[in-house]
Amino acid sequence: MRLAILVLGLWTLDAGWSAAADLRVGSAAVNLEADDSMVISGGIGPRYVAGQEGQLRTVAVVIEQPGRTKLALVGCDVLFVSRTDMDPALEEIQKSTGIPFTHVLVNASHTHHAPSTTEVHGYGPDRRFCERLQKSVVDAVKQADARLAGGDAEFLFDMGEEGTVGGNSRLLLADGTIWWIGSKDDAVRPTGPFDRQLPVLAFQTPDRRPLALVYNHSTHPIGTRTGNVRSPSYYGLAAQELQQEWGGTVCYLEGASGSTHNVTGVSTGEAVERLKAAVKTSLAMARPLPVGRLAAIKRPFTFSVRRFDDAVEDEKVSSYCQKRSPGPHVETTVRIFRDMRGQLAPQQGQPRETWLQAMAIGDDVAIVGVPAEYFTGLGMDIKKRSPFKYTLIASLSNDWIGYLPDREAHRLGGYQTWMGLHSYAEVGTGERMADEALAMLMELKNHD
């Protein structure tokens, strides 16, 4: 187990190193206002809650090489972001701050306890909340950009780990199906990996005053501390409490978690504490990395809506639900999936376009932004093949095109592969996206 270095009960970034002020960092957090009338996303049907714990936030960290380049990392406490809302926001950011559209990454934390921002399953977006989200992204980046002048910074990094708050949730069951809901007492084995890595990027002034921190992990954040309320869930709650304790702005980026959930029995409250402890350990162990350059590529990525046999898809949903989770809700669930397929049926084979992004912070750290609930194995494959020493996967970035399983997951089946608004890309899109991301990373690595 990694041990934190504690000094008077506080964690410090004592790198014993000071760099020339060739890097600046500004950060800001903007609260997202919501109310009980707004439909909550993250379930199969619409649901409503009463009250809220913590804040739903949009957090921006702007990194600058003065006179040269700026990057902006933005984390939002929502289930998804869509390019419908984000493209106009990024255009406004470019116009008002000069940060190029291609140099801004907007990530959704994937909390299942915030108002809906997209159409999925049995409900649509709350447009009032979408407008607030769009404005919050612009405001957070503008505020962070305005704080660059006083933000001479050093960059420190540690590749931490946390392997207890989640696990691979696509469990092979004794009847050959893949677990989604209901009993899993007859689970045979997980069908994929769990990514324990918890990268921590920290920025501080040359005299070690905290400026900003970005951390990244790869599990579905489902659960609240206090019941049926709005919540940023454990990743967002941990970020807010770390910010209060540490003093600098803390931003969370969701990793490749399409096939991993909090299935280990760890409560939301305990998950918050474990994540905080892991980040604190990394802060104590973080070491400086030079930032000779900042660079980014954002390009269109084209894929197609997959073709399907409606009767076959209907049988997948109805047979699983009737066996694993019987009750009056089955009919509603089956109907919702039928409605989604009905909407997609005339779109089979049609091309769709989304964004794929890669960023470099110096020569050692890269961030890949993918617009989907990306399967963990695909994310780990990018990391393994990346030419950068450290690579972060930020899934659910800049857009949302549903789950992206790998080919083996499609063969095994399960909820994440059933045809619907939550999963409609042609088989092989996940691997193609990984290959394209690798090409972009190579381009960044080889660029002077």
Side-chain angles (χ1 to χ4, degrees), residues 5 47 65 82 105 200 286 343 353 444:
I5 301 170
R47 65 189 177 94
Q65 286 183 304
S82 71
L105 181 149
V200 172
Q343 183 175 337
E353 186 177 273
L444 283 177

Side-chain angles (χ1 to χ4, degrees), residues 53 113 165 221-227 231-238 241 262 265-276:
E53 62 181 18
H113 309 282
V165 301
I222 302 175
T224 69
R225 273 178 165 157
T226 56
S231 173
S233 199
Y234 43 83
Y235 286 128
L237 292 170
E241 293 182 16
N262 47 333
V266 176
S267 69
T268 298
E270 180 60 24
V272 171
E273 296 306 315
R274 294 186 187 191
L275 288 164
K276 287 167 55 181

Side-chain angles (χ1 to χ4, degrees), residues 33-40 49 52 115 128 132 230:
E33 294 185 10
D35 61 61
D36 296 352
S37 70
M38 295 177 172
V39 63
I40 300 297
V49 302
Q52 181 170 310
R128 291 176 302 153
R132 293 173 188 178
R230 292 181 300 280

